[in-house]
Amino acid sequence: LRRRLSIPVIGVIGPGVRAALAATRNRRIGVLGTPTTIASGAYQRELVTGGASVCARSCPLFVPLIEEGWAGHPVARRVAVEYLSLLRRYKVDTVILGCTHYPLMKRILARILGSRVRLVDSAAGHGDDRQGNGACRGETAGLSICCLGERPSWNRFVDLVL
């Protein structure tokens, strides 16, 4: 995309992987993501290249729960316990939250995984990849939101993050 487009393309995979590799102590890193993200293998390839052992888990119910406003609901906790059981068995010490929605469940995820597991927000480090882009040179930008999903659900989600 960066070669094809004339606008800056800011990725989240590279910064998330770098942060996870810097945080891990035992080189066992978990990745939580949407089915498409996990199926792409993008995080897994970069982590393995960085010398880590990877346990990836698709979490298809997280996004609808978050968009419904249920990130702290007991139902979300029960679903998270199921999804995280694989990562707990694998004894990961670092987990990449590979979807921009997932940090909204950080509190529940941290409780289930325990204090020894570090959670890495894949989008939090994206500023590193923005250097040299217009927004980092003092130019101002507006915010435009285009909603392709169900509007009431989207409105709830926007209220949560903005």
Side-chain angles (χ1 to χ4, degrees):
L1 285 177
R2 286 184 173 114
R3 285 189 292 255
R4 289 182 173 181
L5 299 174
S6 62
I7 60 171
V9 175
I10 301 168
V12 295
I13 293 171
V17 166
R18 287 190 295 276
L21 290 170
T24 186
R25 297 171 309 278
N26 69 4
R27 309 304 281 177
R28 290 174 172 254
I29 298 174
V31 178
L32 300 177
T34 64
T36 302
T37 297
I38 298 303
S40 78
Y43 280 105
Q44 298 93 308
R45 279 190 302 277
E46 287 203 36
L47 288 165
V48 168
T49 299
S53 181
V54 182
C55 180
R57 181 65 163 104
S58 171
C59 305
L61 294 177
F62 279 0
V63 169
L65 286 167
I66 291 164
E67 289 183 351
E68 189 62 31
W70 287 17
H73 193 280
V75 170
R77 180 174 173 31
R78 182 66 193 130
V79 169
V81 165
E82 287 295 320
Y83 286 156
L84 298 176
S85 65
L86 177 66
L87 277 66
R88 293 182 73 198
R89 283 195 307 272
Y90 197 71
K91 297 184 179 9
V92 300
D93 75 345
T94 305
V95 174
I96 295 175
L97 306 179
C99 171
T100 56
H101 285 59
Y102 293 2
L104 294 171
M105 288 188 60
K106 206 172 195 176
R107 187 172 292 146
I108 282 179
L109 301 176
R111 280 191 202 129
I112 295 166
L113 290 168
S115 61
R116 292 194 167 131
V117 176
R118 295 176 175 145
L119 298 178
V120 173
D121 177 350
S122 62
H126 80 281
D128 299 342
D129 284 356
R130 293 179 56 192
Q131 297 197 1
N133 292 334
C136 292
R137 292 195 304 261
E139 295 177 16
T140 59
L143 173 65
S144 296
I145 298 174
C146 177
C147 175
L148 300 177
E150 184 182 330
R151 189 177 174 112
S153 173
W154 178 253
N155 287 344
R156 279 191 301 274
F157 177 67
V158 169
D159 288 343
L160 287 171
V161 298
L162 292 181

